[in-house]
Coordinates of all heavy atoms in Angstrom, one line a residue:
L1 N 0.9 -1.1 0.0 CA -0.1 0.0 0.0 C 1.0 1.2 -0.1 O 1.7 1.3 0.8 CB -0.9 0.0 1.3 CG -1.7 1.2 1.3 CD1 -2.8 1.3 0.2 CD2 -2.5 1.1 2.7
K2 N 0.6 2.1 -1.0 CA 1.5 3.4 -1.0 C 0.5 4.5 -0.9 O -0.5 4.6 -1.6 CB 2.2 3.4 -2.4 CG 3.0 4.6 -2.6 CD 3.6 4.6 -3.9 CE 4.5 5.9 -4.0 NZ 5.2 6.0 -5.3
T3 N 0.9 5.5 -0.1 CA 0.2 6.7 0.1 C 1.1 7.8 -0.2 O 2.2 7.8 0.0 CB -0.5 6.9 1.5 OG1 0.7 6.8 2.5 CG2 -1.4 5.7 1.9
C4 N 0.4 9.0 -0.8 CA 1.2 10.1 -0.9 C 0.4 11.3 -0.6 O -1.0 11.2 -0.8 CB 1.7 10.1 -2.4 SG 0.6 10.2 -3.6
N5 N 1.0 12.4 -0.4 CA 0.2 13.7 -0.2 C 0.5 14.8 -1.3 O 0.2 15.9 -1.0 CB 0.5 14.2 1.3 CG 2.0 14.7 1.3 OD1 2.8 14.4 0.4 ND2 2.3 15.4 2.5
H6 N 0.9 14.3 -2.4 CA 1.1 15.2 -3.5 C 0.7 14.5 -4.9 O 1.0 13.4 -5.1 CB 2.7 15.4 -3.6 CG 3.1 16.3 -4.7 ND1 2.8 17.7 -4.7 CD2 3.5 16.1 -6.0 CE1 3.2 18.2 -5.9 NE2 3.7 17.2 -6.6
L7 N -0.2 15.3 -5.5 CA -0.6 14.9 -6.9 C 0.2 15.6 -7.8 O -0.1 16.8 -8.1 CB -2.0 15.1 -6.9 CG -3.0 14.4 -5.9 CD1 -4.4 14.9 -6.0 CD2 -3.0 12.9 -6.1
E8 N 1.0 15.0 -8.5 CA 1.9 15.7 -9.5 C 1.2 16.3 -10.6 O 0.2 15.6 -11.1 CB 3.0 14.8 -10.0 CG 4.1 15.6 -10.7 CD 5.3 14.7 -10.9 OE1 5.7 13.8 -10.1 OE2 6.1 15.0 -11.9
G9 N 1.3 17.6 -10.9 CA 0.6 18.2 -12.1 C -0.9 18.6 -11.7 O -1.6 19.0 -12.7
H10 N -1.2 18.5 -10.4 CA -2.5 18.9 -10.0 C -2.5 20.0 -8.9 O -3.2 19.9 -7.9 CB -3.3 17.7 -9.5 CG -3.5 16.6 -10.7 ND1 -2.7 15.7 -11.1 CD2 -4.7 16.5 -11.4 CE1 -3.2 15.1 -12.0 NE2 -4.3 15.6 -12.2
I11 N -1.7 20.9 -9.1 CA -1.6 22.0 -8.1 C -2.9 22.7 -7.7 O -3.1 23.1 -6.6 CB -0.5 23.0 -8.4 CG1 -0.2 24.0 -7.3 CG2 -1.0 23.9 -9.7 CD1 0.9 24.8 -7.5
H12 N -3.9 22.7 -8.7 CA -5.1 23.4 -8.4 C -6.0 22.5 -7.5 O -7.0 23.2 -7.1 CB -5.8 23.8 -9.7 CG -5.0 24.9 -10.4 ND1 -5.0 26.2 -10.1 CD2 -4.1 24.7 -11.5 CE1 -4.3 26.8 -11.0 NE2 -3.7 26.0 -11.7
L13 N -5.7 21.3 -7.3 CA -6.4 20.5 -6.3 C -5.6 20.3 -5.1 O -6.2 20.2 -3.9 CB -6.7 19.1 -6.9 CG -7.6 19.1 -8.1 CD1 -7.8 17.7 -8.7 CD2 -9.0 19.6 -7.7
S14 N -4.3 20.2 -5.1 CA -3.5 19.9 -3.9 C -2.9 20.9 -3.1 O -2.5 20.9 -2.1 CB -2.2 18.9 -4.3 OG -1.5 19.6 -5.3
N15 N -3.0 22.2 -3.7 CA -2.6 23.4 -3.1 C -3.8 24.1 -2.5 O -4.7 24.5 -3.3 CB -1.9 24.3 -4.1 CG -1.4 25.6 -3.4 OD1 -2.1 26.5 -3.3 ND2 -0.1 25.7 -3.2
K16 N -3.8 24.3 -1.2 CA -5.0 24.8 -0.6 C -5.4 26.2 -1.0 O -6.5 26.6 -1.3 CB -4.9 25.0 1.1 CG -4.9 23.6 1.6 CD -4.7 23.8 3.1 CE -3.7 22.9 3.7 NZ -2.5 22.5 3.2
K17 N -4.4 27.2 -1.3 CA -4.6 28.5 -1.8 C -5.1 28.5 -3.3 O -6.2 29.1 -3.6 CB -3.4 29.3 -1.8 CG -3.7 30.8 -2.2 CD -2.4 31.7 -1.8 CE -1.2 31.2 -2.8 NZ -0.1 32.1 -2.6
A18 N -4.6 27.6 -4.1 CA -5.0 27.4 -5.4 C -6.5 27.0 -5.5 O -7.3 27.3 -6.2 CB -4.1 26.6 -6.3
L19 N -6.8 25.9 -4.6 CA -8.1 25.2 -4.5 C -9.1 26.3 -4.1 O -10.2 26.4 -4.8 CB -8.1 24.2 -3.6 CG -9.4 23.4 -3.4 CD1 -9.9 22.8 -4.7 CD2 -9.3 22.3 -2.3
Y20 N -8.8 27.2 -3.1 CA -9.7 28.2 -2.8 C -9.9 29.3 -3.9 O -11.1 29.5 -4.2 CB -9.1 29.1 -1.6 CG -9.7 30.5 -1.3 CD1 -10.9 30.5 -0.9 CD2 -8.9 31.5 -1.7 CE1 -11.5 31.9 -0.8 CE2 -9.5 32.8 -1.6 CZ -10.9 32.9 -1.1 OH -11.4 34.1 -1.0
Y21 N -8.9 29.7 -4.5 CA -9.2 30.6 -5.6 C -10.0 30.0 -6.8 O -10.9 30.7 -7.3 CB -7.8 31.2 -6.2 CG -7.1 32.2 -5.3 CD1 -5.8 32.0 -4.9 CD2 -7.8 33.3 -4.9 CE1 -5.2 32.9 -4.1 CE2 -7.2 34.2 -4.1 CZ -5.8 34.1 -3.6 OH -5.3 35.0 -2.9
N22 N -9.7 28.7 -7.1 CA -10.5 28.1 -8.2 C -12.0 27.9 -7.7 O -12.9 28.2 -8.5 CB -9.9 26.8 -8.4 CG -8.7 26.9 -9.4 OD1 -8.8 27.6 -10.5 ND2 -7.6 26.6 -9.0
M23 N -12.3 27.4 -6.5 CA -13.5 27.4 -6.0 C -14.3 28.6 -5.8 O -15.5 28.8 -6.3 CB -13.6 26.7 -4.6 CG -13.1 25.2 -4.6 SD -13.3 24.4 -3.1 CE -15.1 24.2 -2.9
K24 N -13.7 29.7 -5.5 CA -14.3 31.0 -5.4 C -14.7 31.4 -6.8 O -15.8 32.0 -7.1 CB -13.2 32.1 -4.7 CG -13.8 33.4 -4.6 CD -12.8 34.3 -3.8 CE -13.2 35.6 -3.6 NZ -13.3 36.5 -4.7
A25 N -13.7 31.3 -7.6 CA -14.0 31.7 -9.1 C -15.2 30.9 -9.8 O -16.1 31.5 -10.4 CB -12.9 31.6 -10.0
Y26 N -15.2 29.6 -9.4 CA -16.4 28.8 -9.9 C -17.8 29.2 -9.5 O -18.6 29.5 -10.2 CB -16.1 27.3 -9.6 CG -17.3 26.4 -9.9 CD1 -17.5 26.0 -11.1 CD2 -18.1 26.1 -8.9 CE1 -18.6 25.2 -11.4 CE2 -19.2 25.3 -9.1 CZ -19.4 24.9 -10.3 OH -20.5 24.1 -10.7
Y27 N -17.8 29.4 -8.1 CA -19.1 29.7 -7.5 C -19.5 31.2 -7.9 O -20.7 31.4 -8.1 CB -19.1 29.6 -6.0 CG -19.2 28.2 -5.6 CD1 -18.1 27.6 -4.9 CD2 -20.3 27.4 -5.8 CE1 -18.2 26.2 -4.5 CE2 -20.3 26.1 -5.6 CZ -19.4 25.5 -4.9 OH -19.4 24.1 -4.5
E28 N -18.6 32.1 -8.1 CA -18.9 33.5 -8.6 C -19.4 33.2 -10.1 O -20.4 34.1 -10.4 CB -17.8 34.4 -8.5 CG -17.4 34.8 -7.0 CD -16.2 35.6 -6.8 OE1 -15.3 35.6 -7.8 OE2 -15.9 36.2 -5.7
C29 N -18.8 32.5 -10.9 CA -19.2 32.3 -12.3 C -20.7 31.7 -12.3 O -21.3 32.1 -13.3 CB -18.2 31.3 -12.9 SG -18.6 31.1 -14.7
M30 N -21.0 30.9 -11.4 CA -22.3 30.4 -11.3 C -23.3 31.2 -10.8 O -24.5 30.9 -10.6 CB -22.2 29.0 -10.5 CG -21.3 28.0 -11.2 SD -21.7 27.4 -12.8 CE -23.2 26.6 -12.6
G31 N -22.9 32.5 -10.3 CA -23.8 33.4 -9.7 C -24.1 33.0 -8.2 O -25.1 33.5 -7.7
E32 N -23.2 32.3 -7.5 CA -23.5 31.9 -6.1 C -22.4 32.5 -5.2 O -21.4 33.0 -5.7 CB -23.3 30.3 -6.1 CG -24.2 29.5 -6.8 CD -25.6 29.3 -6.3 OE1 -25.8 29.8 -5.1 OE2 -26.6 28.8 -6.9
N33 N -22.8 32.7 -4.1 CA -21.9 33.3 -3.1 C -21.1 32.1 -2.7 O -21.5 31.1 -2.1 CB -22.7 33.8 -1.8 CG -21.8 34.2 -0.7 OD1 -20.5 34.2 -0.8 ND2 -22.4 34.7 0.4
P34 N -19.7 32.2 -2.9 CA -18.7 31.2 -2.7 C -18.8 30.7 -1.2 O -18.6 29.5 -0.8 CB -17.5 31.7 -3.1 CG -17.5 33.1 -3.3 CD -19.0 33.4 -3.5
F35 N -19.1 31.7 -0.3 CA -19.0 31.4 1.1 C -20.3 30.7 1.8 O -20.3 30.5 2.8 CB -18.6 32.6 1.9 CG -17.2 33.2 1.5 CD1 -17.2 34.4 0.7 CD2 -16.1 32.4 1.7 CE1 -15.9 34.7 0.3 CE2 -14.8 32.9 1.2 CZ -14.9 34.1 0.4
D36 N -21.2 30.4 0.8 CA -22.3 29.5 1.1 C -21.8 28.0 1.1 O -22.4 27.2 1.6 CB -23.6 29.7 0.2 CG -24.2 30.9 0.4 OD1 -24.1 31.6 1.5 OD2 -25.0 31.3 -0.5
F37 N -20.6 27.9 0.4 CA -20.1 26.5 0.2 C -18.7 26.3 0.9 O -18.4 25.1 1.1 CB -20.0 26.2 -1.2 CG -21.4 26.4 -2.0 CD1 -21.7 27.6 -2.6 CD2 -22.3 25.4 -2.1 CE1 -22.9 27.8 -3.2 CE2 -23.4 25.6 -2.6 CZ -23.8 26.7 -3.2
I38 N -17.9 27.3 1.0 CA -16.5 27.1 1.5 C -16.5 28.1 2.7 O -17.1 29.1 2.8 CB -15.4 27.4 0.4 CG1 -15.6 28.9 -0.2 CG2 -15.5 26.5 -0.6 CD1 -14.5 29.2 -1.1
P39 N -15.5 27.7 3.6 CA -15.3 28.7 4.8 C -14.8 30.0 4.5 O -14.1 30.1 3.4 CB -14.4 28.0 5.7 CG -14.2 26.5 5.1 CD -14.8 26.5 3.7
L40 N -15.2 31.0 5.2 CA -14.5 32.2 5.0 C -12.9 32.1 5.1 O -12.3 31.4 5.8 CB -14.8 33.3 6.2 CG -16.1 33.8 6.2 CD1 -16.4 34.7 7.5 CD2 -16.4 34.7 5.0
T41 N -12.3 32.7 4.0 CA -10.8 32.6 3.9 C -10.2 34.0 3.6 O -10.8 34.7 2.8 CB -10.6 31.5 2.7 OG1 -11.3 30.3 3.0 CG2 -9.1 31.4 2.5
Y42 N -9.1 34.2 4.2 CA -8.4 35.4 4.0 C -7.0 35.1 3.7 O -6.3 34.3 4.3 CB -8.5 36.3 5.2 CG -9.9 36.6 5.6 CD1 -10.6 35.8 6.6 CD2 -10.6 37.7 5.0 CE1 -11.9 36.2 6.8 CE2 -11.9 38.0 5.3 CZ -12.4 37.2 6.3 OH -13.8 37.6 6.6
H43 N -6.4 35.6 2.7 CA -5.0 35.4 2.3 C -4.2 36.7 2.6 O -4.2 37.7 1.9 CB -4.9 35.1 0.7 CG -3.5 34.8 0.3 ND1 -2.9 35.2 -0.9 CD2 -2.5 34.2 1.0 CE1 -1.8 34.8 -1.0 NE2 -1.5 34.2 0.1
I44 N -3.6 36.7 3.8 CA -3.0 37.8 4.3 C -1.5 37.8 4.1 O -0.8 36.9 4.7 CB -3.2 38.0 5.8 CG1 -4.7 38.1 6.0 CG2 -2.5 39.2 6.4 CD1 -5.2 38.1 7.5
Q45 N -0.9 38.5 3.1 CA 0.5 38.3 2.8 C 1.4 39.4 3.5 O 2.6 39.1 3.6 CB 0.6 38.6 1.3 CG -0.2 37.7 0.6 CD -0.2 37.9 -1.0 OE1 0.1 39.1 -1.5 NE2 -0.3 36.9 -1.8
E46 N 0.8 40.5 4.0 CA 1.8 41.5 4.5 C 1.5 41.9 5.9 O 1.8 43.0 6.4 CB 1.5 42.9 3.8 CG 1.8 42.7 2.1 CD 3.2 42.5 1.8 OE1 4.0 42.9 2.5 OE2 3.4 41.7 0.8
G47 N 1.0 40.9 6.6 CA 0.8 41.1 8.1 C -0.3 41.9 8.3 O -1.3 42.2 7.6
S48 N -0.1 42.7 9.5 CA -1.2 43.6 9.9 C -1.4 44.8 9.0 O -2.4 45.5 9.0 CB -1.0 44.1 11.3 OG 0.2 44.8 11.5
G49 N -0.4 45.1 8.1 CA -0.6 46.1 7.1 C -1.4 45.8 5.8 O -1.5 46.7 5.1
D50 N -1.7 44.6 5.8 CA -2.4 44.0 4.6 C -3.8 44.4 4.6 O -4.5 44.3 5.6 CB -2.3 42.5 4.5 CG -2.7 41.9 3.1 OD1 -3.8 42.2 2.7 OD2 -1.8 41.1 2.6
S51 N -4.5 44.8 3.5 CA -5.9 45.2 3.4 C -6.7 44.0 3.8 O -7.9 44.2 4.4 CB -6.3 45.7 2.1 OG -6.2 44.7 1.1
Q52 N -6.4 42.7 3.5 CA -7.1 41.6 3.9 C -7.2 41.4 5.4 O -8.1 40.8 5.9 CB -6.6 40.4 3.2 CG -7.1 40.2 1.7 CD -8.5 39.9 1.6 OE1 -8.9 38.8 2.0 NE2 -9.3 40.9 1.2
F53 N -6.1 41.8 6.0 CA -6.1 41.7 7.5 C -7.1 42.6 8.1 O -7.8 42.3 9.1 CB -4.7 42.1 8.1 CG -4.6 42.0 9.5 CD1 -4.4 40.7 10.1 CD2 -4.8 43.1 10.4 CE1 -4.3 40.6 11.5 CE2 -4.8 42.9 11.8 CZ -4.5 41.7 12.3
D54 N -7.4 43.8 7.5 CA -8.4 44.7 8.0 C -9.8 44.0 7.8 O -10.7 44.1 8.6 CB -8.4 46.0 7.3 CG -7.2 46.9 7.5 OD1 -6.5 46.6 8.6 OD2 -6.7 47.7 6.7
V55 N -10.0 43.4 6.7 CA -11.3 42.7 6.4 C -11.4 41.5 7.3 O -12.6 41.5 7.8 CB -11.3 42.2 4.9 CG1 -12.5 41.3 4.7 CG2 -11.2 43.3 3.9
F56 N -10.4 40.8 7.6 CA -10.4 39.7 8.7 C -10.8 40.3 10.0 O -11.7 39.7 10.6 CB -9.2 38.9 8.6 CG -9.0 38.1 9.9 CD1 -9.7 37.0 10.0 CD2 -8.2 38.5 10.8 CE1 -9.6 36.2 11.3 CE2 -8.1 37.8 12.1 CZ -8.8 36.6 12.2
S57 N -10.2 41.3 10.4 CA -10.3 41.8 11.7 C -11.7 42.4 11.9 O -12.3 42.2 12.9 CB -9.4 43.1 11.9 OG -8.1 42.7 11.9
K58 N -12.3 42.9 10.9 CA -13.7 43.4 11.0 C -14.7 42.3 11.2 O -15.5 42.2 12.0 CB -14.1 44.2 9.7 CG -15.5 44.7 9.7 CD -15.8 45.6 8.4 CE -17.2 46.1 8.4 NZ -17.5 46.7 7.1
K59 N -14.4 41.2 10.4 CA -15.3 39.9 10.6 C -15.1 39.3 11.9 O -16.1 38.9 12.5 CB -15.0 39.1 9.4 CG -15.9 37.8 9.3 CD -17.4 38.2 9.2 CE -17.8 38.6 8.0 NZ -19.3 38.7 7.9
Y60 N -13.9 39.3 12.3 CA -13.5 38.7 13.6 C -14.3 39.5 14.7 O -14.9 38.9 15.6 CB -12.0 38.7 13.9 CG -11.7 38.2 15.2 CD1 -11.3 36.9 15.5 CD2 -11.6 39.2 16.3 CE1 -11.1 36.4 16.8 CE2 -11.3 38.6 17.6 CZ -10.9 37.3 17.9 OH -10.7 36.9 19.0
N61 N -14.2 40.7 14.7 CA -14.9 41.5 15.7 C -16.4 41.4 15.6 O -17.1 41.3 16.6 CB -14.5 43.0 15.6 CG -13.0 43.2 16.0 OD1 -12.5 42.6 16.9 ND2 -12.4 44.1 15.3
E62 N -16.9 41.3 14.4 CA -18.3 41.1 14.2 C -18.8 39.8 14.9 O -19.8 39.8 15.6 CB -18.6 41.1 12.7 CG -20.1 40.9 12.4 CD -20.3 40.7 10.8 OE1 -19.7 41.7 10.1 OE2 -21.0 39.9 10.4
F63 N -18.0 38.8 14.6 CA -18.4 37.4 15.3 C -18.2 37.5 16.6 O -18.9 36.8 17.5 CB -17.5 36.3 14.6 CG -18.0 35.9 13.3 CD1 -17.1 35.0 12.5 CD2 -19.2 36.2 12.7 CE1 -17.5 34.7 11.2 CE2 -19.6 35.9 11.4 CZ -18.7 35.0 10.7
Q64 N -17.1 38.2 17.2 CA -16.9 38.3 18.7 C -18.1 38.9 19.4 O -18.5 38.5 20.4 CB -15.6 39.2 18.9 CG -15.1 39.0 20.3 CD -14.5 37.7 20.5 OE1 -14.2 36.9 19.8 NE2 -14.2 37.6 21.9
E65 N -18.8 39.8 18.7 CA -19.9 40.4 19.4 C -21.2 39.5 19.3 O -22.1 39.7 20.2 CB -20.2 41.8 18.7 CG -19.3 42.7 18.9 CD -19.4 44.0 18.2 OE1 -20.5 44.2 17.6 OE2 -18.5 44.9 18.2
D66 N -21.3 38.7 18.4 CA -22.4 37.6 18.3 C -22.2 36.5 19.2 O -21.4 35.6 19.0 CB -22.5 37.3 16.9 CG -23.8 36.4 16.7 OD1 -24.4 36.0 17.6 OD2 -24.1 36.3 15.5
K67 N -23.0 36.3 20.3 CA -22.9 35.4 21.3 C -23.4 34.0 20.8 O -23.1 33.0 21.4 CB -23.6 35.7 22.6 CG -23.1 37.1 23.3 CD -21.6 36.8 23.6 CE -21.1 38.2 24.1 NZ -19.8 38.3 24.1
N68 N -24.0 34.0 19.7 CA -24.5 32.8 19.0 C -23.5 32.1 18.2 O -23.8 31.0 17.5 CB -25.8 33.0 18.3 CG -26.9 33.4 19.2 OD1 -27.0 32.9 20.3 ND2 -27.6 34.4 18.7
V69 N -22.3 32.7 17.9 CA -21.3 32.2 17.1 C -20.1 31.9 17.8 O -19.5 32.7 18.6 CB -21.0 33.3 15.9 CG1 -19.9 32.9 15.0 CG2 -22.2 33.6 15.0
Q70 N -19.5 30.7 17.6 CA -18.2 30.5 18.0 C -17.1 31.1 17.2 O -17.0 30.8 16.0 CB -17.9 28.9 18.2 CG -18.7 28.2 19.3 CD -18.3 26.8 19.5 OE1 -18.1 26.0 18.4 NE2 -18.0 26.4 20.6
N71 N -16.4 31.9 17.7 CA -15.4 32.7 17.0 C -14.0 31.9 17.1 O -13.0 32.4 17.6 CB -15.2 34.1 17.6 CG -14.7 35.2 16.7 OD1 -14.4 35.0 15.4 ND2 -14.4 36.3 17.1
I72 N -14.0 30.9 16.2 CA -12.8 30.0 16.1 C -12.3 30.1 14.6 O -12.9 30.0 13.7 CB -13.1 28.6 16.4 CG1 -13.7 28.4 17.9 CG2 -12.0 27.7 16.2 CD1 -14.1 27.1 18.3
W73 N -10.9 30.3 14.6 CA -10.3 30.5 13.2 C -9.1 29.5 13.1 O -8.5 29.2 14.1 CB -9.8 31.9 13.1 CG -11.0 32.9 13.1 CD1 -11.6 33.5 14.1 CD2 -11.7 33.4 11.8 NE1 -12.6 34.3 13.8 CE2 -12.7 34.3 12.4 CE3 -11.6 33.2 10.6 CZ2 -13.5 35.0 11.6 CZ3 -12.4 33.9 9.7 CH2 -13.5 34.7 10.2
I74 N -8.8 29.2 11.9 CA -7.6 28.4 11.6 C -6.6 29.4 11.1 O -6.9 30.0 10.0 CB -7.9 27.2 10.6 CG1 -8.9 26.2 11.2 CG2 -6.6 26.6 10.3 CD1 -9.3 25.2 10.3
V75 N -5.5 29.5 11.6 CA -4.5 30.5 11.2 C -3.2 29.6 10.7 O -2.8 28.7 11.4 CB -4.0 31.4 12.2 CG1 -3.0 32.3 11.6 CG2 -5.4 32.2 12.7
K76 N -2.9 29.7 9.5 CA -1.7 28.9 8.9 C -0.5 29.9 8.7 O -0.7 31.0 8.4 CB -2.1 28.3 7.7 CG -3.3 27.3 8.0 CD -3.6 26.5 6.7 CE -2.5 25.5 6.7 NZ -2.6 24.2 6.7
P77 N 0.7 29.4 8.8 CA 1.9 30.2 8.6 C 2.0 30.7 7.2 O 1.2 30.3 6.2 CB 3.0 29.2 8.9 CG 2.6 27.9 8.7 CD 1.0 27.9 9.1
G78 N 3.0 31.5 6.9 CA 3.2 32.1 5.6 C 3.7 31.4 4.6 O 3.8 30.0 4.7
E79 N 3.9 31.9 3.4 CA 4.2 31.1 2.1 C 5.4 30.2 2.2 O 5.4 29.2 1.6 CB 4.3 32.2 1.0 CG 3.2 33.0 0.7 CD 2.0 32.2 0.1 OE1 2.2 31.3 -0.8 OE2 0.9 32.5 0.4
N80 N 6.4 30.7 2.9 CA 7.7 30.0 2.8 C 8.1 29.2 4.0 O 9.3 29.0 4.3 CB 8.8 30.9 2.3 CG 8.6 31.5 0.9 OD1 8.3 30.9 0.0 ND2 8.7 32.8 0.8
T81 N 7.1 28.9 4.7 CA 7.4 28.0 5.9 C 7.1 26.7 5.6 O 6.3 26.2 4.8 CB 6.6 28.5 7.0 OG1 5.2 28.5 6.7 CG2 7.0 30.0 7.5
N82 N 7.6 25.7 6.5 CA 7.4 24.3 6.5 C 7.8 23.8 5.0 O 7.1 22.9 4.4 CB 5.9 23.9 6.8 CG 5.6 24.3 8.2 OD1 6.4 24.2 9.0 ND2 4.4 24.7 8.3
R83 N 8.8 24.1 4.5 CA 9.2 23.7 3.2 C 10.5 22.7 3.3 O 11.1 22.4 2.3 CB 9.8 24.9 2.3 CG 8.5 25.8 1.9 CD 7.6 25.3 1.1 NE 6.6 26.2 0.7 CZ 5.4 25.9 0.3 NH1 5.0 24.7 0.1 NH2 4.5 26.9 0.2
G84 N 10.8 22.3 4.4 CA 11.9 21.3 4.7 C 13.1 21.8 4.8 O 14.0 22.3 4.4

């Protein structure tokens, strides 16, 4: 039995960021809100100075005020980490 975590030539399926961008584009093309199907996702490249960080912060604070929502987020390290 052989298992692998890499599908050669299929970066748009095996790379989480590429998968997100493709799914977002697909649902927008279909006239659907992508976040009805995929979790809220933010690609923050420049730390707290990034415009996406401001968007994330606003949503975080919005959820923080709503007592009916668990404000739990998955935060992953930057682009060039965990590369061996």
